[in-house]
Amino acid sequence: MIAANDSLATEEQLVRRIAEGRDRIRKELAKVIRGQDEVIELLLIALLSGGHALITGAPGLAKTLLIQSTARLFHLSFKRIQFTPDLMPADITGTEILGESPDGGRRLEFVKGPLFANLILADEINRTPPKTQSALLEAMQEHQITAAGVRYPLEEPFFVLATKNPVEMEGTYPLPEAQLDRFMFDIRIDYLSEDDEVAVVTSTTSKRPEPIEALFTGEDLMAFHEIVRRVPIAEETARYAVRLVGASRPNRAGTPDFINEWVNWGAGLRAAQCLVIGGKARALLGGRSHVTPDDIRALAHPVLRHRILPNFRAEAEGITPEGIVDRLLKHVPLP
């Protein structure tokens, strides 16, 4: 009984740390990042849920700085991989080299690649060929890599935060749908407002930014993962998430006409899982102990926009995945 009470007290303490940490994290990131509150919140939800994220935005919007600063906040080991057309799978996973054994002989030794870190920044992931992009799949899903038939587990916690430049399409390789589905969120980062941009320009040209203070550790983050999964969700709220995802699939019973007209392929089961686990993390960040339909709706765009594949007719009519998600949110009734 005493052990159970101690466990409950520990869980309550962790829940308080998550809720209180939201403002502390924003305060620390404000030293280097300004005006991207929604992006920061989605990034925190992904980390608390144990998911990977794709960050899409034009150059010069501090995507790399945001990810580096997040790694410092959680005291995570950090590696940046610049994806280029000539990058090979062994360049990111590691390779075997011929080394000297203690008895003076020769033996093959595995030299770990940059994937062996807690937080991986896959910079401009769409600039490397599919062969190298696919090398990330096992790491992202299984948290391991296999080289020469030997399994090498990756450090925990393990996250891949990839950036994608949507401006220059020449010389890029679109990510296959199977890899896109591995990303919990597709986070869109936009230009700052005029006031925020003036503040950034003024501060960055007058003094160096203050150093980011580490607020948590990797062990804290893994404990947060367990707490997030224990957040209760009502069956009707979970069913709402499933119905929202199911309505995106064409040529099924009950599918709305606009989906049949505009969509080639809808979201799969992983999308509903991401909505629910993300909703749990969002609830804790908001100081709530249960998930609401508003949590599900708030995450619908970043969860679904990269999992819905519009057809040629939709593209010809200027229909975007964001517009399709907007229609879905209006079509599927709230519980």
Side-chain angles (χ1 to χ4, degrees), residues 207-240:
K207 61 179 181 179
R208 293 188 180 277
E210 299 178 38
I212 297 290
E213 179 186 348
L215 301 178
F216 304 100
T217 65
E219 290 75 16
D220 291 332
L221 204 47
M222 293 181 70
F224 293 160
H225 292 169
E226 295 301 318
I227 293 298
V228 165
R229 291 184 175 275
R230 295 179 191 174
V231 174
I233 181 171
E235 182 182 343
E236 59 266 25
T237 304
R239 193 174 295 275
Y240 173 67

Side-chain angles (χ1 to χ4, degrees), residues 6-316:
D6 290 344
S7 176
L8 182 60
T10 302
E11 288 186 13
E12 291 176 349
Q13 183 181 12
L14 288 171
V15 169
R16 283 196 301 271
R17 288 188 67 191
I18 292 174
E20 294 169 358
R22 180 182 188 177
D23 292 334
R24 295 176 63 198
I25 289 170
R26 284 182 173 175
K27 183 178 178 181
E28 284 299 314
L29 289 179
K31 295 176 180 178
V32 292
I33 303 293
R34 187 181 177 98
Q36 300 290 359
D37 291 344
E38 183 180 355
V39 173
I40 291 171
E41 180 167 357
L42 288 173
L43 195 56
L44 288 178
I45 291 172
L47 292 178
L48 291 175
S49 305
H52 311 291
L54 181 65
I55 303 178
T56 305
L61 296 181
K63 299 186 295 293
T64 301
L65 179 60
L66 173 61
I67 296 171
Q68 278 183 322
S69 302
T70 303
R72 293 192 186 103
L73 271 173
F74 288 93
H75 200 63
L76 302 174
S77 59
F78 172 78
K79 293 287 180 64
R80 177 179 180 269
I81 307 173
Q82 182 65 50
F83 279 75
T84 57
D86 60 347
L87 195 72
M88 300 298 290
D91 293 331
I92 64 174
T93 60
T95 187
E96 288 188 324
I97 64 171
L98 193 61
E100 188 173 342
S101 61
D103 59 2
R106 297 287 183 177
R107 67 177 181 182
L108 287 174
E109 297 178 354
F110 180 72
V111 178
K112 295 180 178 180
L115 279 183
F116 287 86
N118 298 129
L119 185 59
I120 306 298
L121 167 57
D123 211 357
E124 295 192 289
I125 190 174
N126 58 329
R127 290 205 175 278
T128 201
K131 177 171 58 176
T132 306
Q133 290 177 6
S134 63
L136 276 176
L137 286 178
E138 181 184 14
M140 292 172 65
Q141 187 65 26
E142 306 295 336
H143 290 208
Q144 68 175 34
I145 67 158
T146 304
V150 180
R151 174 184 175 272
Y152 296 94
L154 298 171
E155 298 179 40
E156 296 289 351
F158 176 76
F159 304 97
V160 173
L161 300 179
T163 67
K164 187 172 70 168
N165 182 354
V167 179
E168 300 176 37
M169 299 309 294
E170 185 177 350
T172 62
Y173 303 83
L175 273 68
E177 285 71 23
Q179 185 167 343
L180 281 174
D181 193 45
R182 260 57 174 198
F183 289 102
M184 179 178 183
F185 292 150
D186 179 4
I187 303 173
R188 301 295 169 90
I189 185 168
D190 204 351
Y191 292 103
L192 298 174
S193 65
E194 182 177 325
D195 290 341
D196 285 332
E197 194 161 339
V198 168
V200 170
V201 170
T202 303
S203 63
T204 55
T205 56
S206 59
K207 61 179 181 179
R208 293 188 180 277
E210 299 178 38
I212 297 290
E213 179 186 348
L215 301 178
F216 304 100
T217 65
E219 290 75 16
D220 291 332
L221 204 47
M222 293 181 70
F224 293 160
H225 292 169
E226 295 301 318
I227 293 298
V228 165
R229 291 184 175 275
R230 295 179 191 174
V231 174
I233 181 171
E235 182 182 343
E236 59 266 25
T237 304
R239 193 174 295 275
Y240 173 67
V242 170
R243 286 175 175 168
L244 193 61
V245 172
S248 72
R249 301 164 187 162
N251 304 318
R252 292 167 58 92
T255 297
D257 292 338
F258 66 89
I259 293 294
N260 291 328
E261 184 178 352
W262 290 334
V263 175
N264 262 344
W265 197 259
L269 173 61
R270 190 179 280 116
Q273 293 172 325
C274 290
L275 283 173
V276 170
I277 193 70
K280 292 182 176 186
R282 188 175 187 271
L284 285 184
L285 282 173
R288 290 176 283 108
S289 59
H290 63 283
V291 185
T292 68
D294 286 339
D295 293 317
I296 304 298
R297 292 175 64 85
L299 301 179
H301 281 88
V303 168
L304 295 177
R305 61 165 61 111
H306 59 299
R307 292 183 165 96
I308 293 177
L309 185 63
N311 56 26
F312 289 114
R313 181 171 184 175
E315 293 176 2

